[in-house]
Amino acid sequence: IEDVVSLSLAGQSFAVKSFVTPILSRNGLRYLQLEVLGSETSALTDILGVRFISDQCPQGVVIQGLSAGGLSVRDFAERYGEAGDLFRAMGFNAAILHFGANDINQGATAETFQLNTEMLIARIRAWTRDAQFPVILMSDPYQQGLDVASEHEYARYPGAQRVIAATDPHVLVVNSRRLMDDRGWKADPPNRLAELLEDGIHYTSRGAIELAETEMAALLGW
């Protein structure tokens, strides 16, 4: 099945554009393969991504990671200040901000972490042109190797997120640190740090899976 989208990408300046195709006919087949091609070899286009949406079965959650290793809230806001066109084109329903570990390693106090998070929320809402765009805040769990003062500030991060949600009805907080503390991801013995952390900071495979399972269960009410 072939179709041509009447979306002109010709222009003198850079632009991000998107479109939704008509419903794809399955013709009794269980699996489909989709190819997206430009129509002119003289005017090349970068295809940034494809998303599949089911009108008949919309249940479920699809998460698209937009971060990179080592980013803090401040880093993300500084590096991706002009990402609005792309962010809007991807048609997200909400944004999950899952930060903390890199922020404390940059010396951010709880107050600074809160201010940076509020700045990033405002940036995302400017991208979407929706002042009420939903945002979900999650805090990184406990990590080893922090000094006493840094550990004190790091433990206050979930509270800083809660302060944001208390004044913004379109912000939801999942206290990942508390959830994982209850599962032994904590400093005090008995703990499971050897199983969950590779080097005191980065997650093991088991740690990453368990953290994701726990957060999604809290988020979706499983």
Side-chain angles (χ1 to χ4, degrees):
I1 302 172
E2 292 187 2
D3 197 3
V4 177
V5 177
S6 58
L7 177 67
S8 174
L9 298 177
Q12 297 300 315
S13 59
F14 172 82
V16 177
K17 298 184 179 182
S18 63
F19 63 91
V20 179
T21 71
I23 296 176
L24 301 178
S25 175
R26 301 184 66 85
N27 290 341
L29 302 175
R30 294 185 61 189
Y31 305 104
L32 297 177
Q33 178 176 337
L34 178 67
E35 287 186 294
V36 182
L37 305 173
S39 59
E40 295 183 21
T41 58
S42 59
L44 299 182
T45 297
D46 291 324
I47 298 173
L48 299 176
V50 176
R51 301 180 68 208
F52 292 91
I53 303 171
S54 174
D55 291 332
Q56 297 180 345
C57 185
Q59 294 86 353
V61 176
V62 177
I63 296 178
Q64 174 71 52
L66 298 181
S67 190
L71 285 186
S72 65
V73 179
R74 184 192 67 193
D75 293 334
F76 193 99
E78 289 178 351
R79 297 183 191 182
Y80 302 105
E82 302 300 328
D85 290 344
L86 177 58
F87 198 88
R88 280 193 305 277
M90 298 181 78
F92 294 118
N93 300 112
I96 297 176
L97 304 185
H98 199 309
F99 288 97
N102 295 312
D103 300 84
I104 195 60
N105 287 312
Q106 293 179 358
T109 64
E111 288 76 16
T112 299
F113 181 69
Q114 178 183 334
L115 290 173
N116 289 340
T117 301
E118 290 172 335
M119 177 182 65
L120 183 52
I121 292 172
R123 178 75 53 77
I124 290 171
R125 288 174 173 169
W127 289 348
T128 62
R129 298 171 183 166
D130 180 359
Q132 299 180 343
F133 187 76
V135 175
I136 302 163
L137 302 178
M138 296 183 181
S139 52
D140 285 330
Y142 172 78
Q143 64 169 284
Q144 295 174 300
L146 296 176
D147 58 38
V148 174
S150 295
E151 172 53 36
H152 174 73
E153 291 298 326
Y154 191 43
R156 297 175 60 217
Y157 278 17
Q161 293 178 329
R162 187 179 186 279
V163 170
I164 298 172
T167 58
D168 190 329
H170 304 287
V171 172
L172 172 71
V173 175
V174 175
N175 191 340
S176 306
R177 173 153 179 160
R178 174 58 188 272
L179 290 172
M180 301 316 295
D181 187 278
D182 292 343
R183 289 171 167 261
W185 197 325
K186 58 184 180 179
D188 299 329
N191 60 53
R192 299 171 53 220
L193 296 180
E195 176 187 357
L196 302 171
L197 292 175
E198 287 186 350
D199 53 8
I201 300 177
H202 297 95
Y203 313 151
T204 62
S205 296
R206 177 64 256 167
I209 292 171
E210 191 165 324
L211 177 61
E213 287 176 343
T214 305
E215 289 172 335
M216 288 301 103
L219 181 61
L220 301 177
W222 292 344

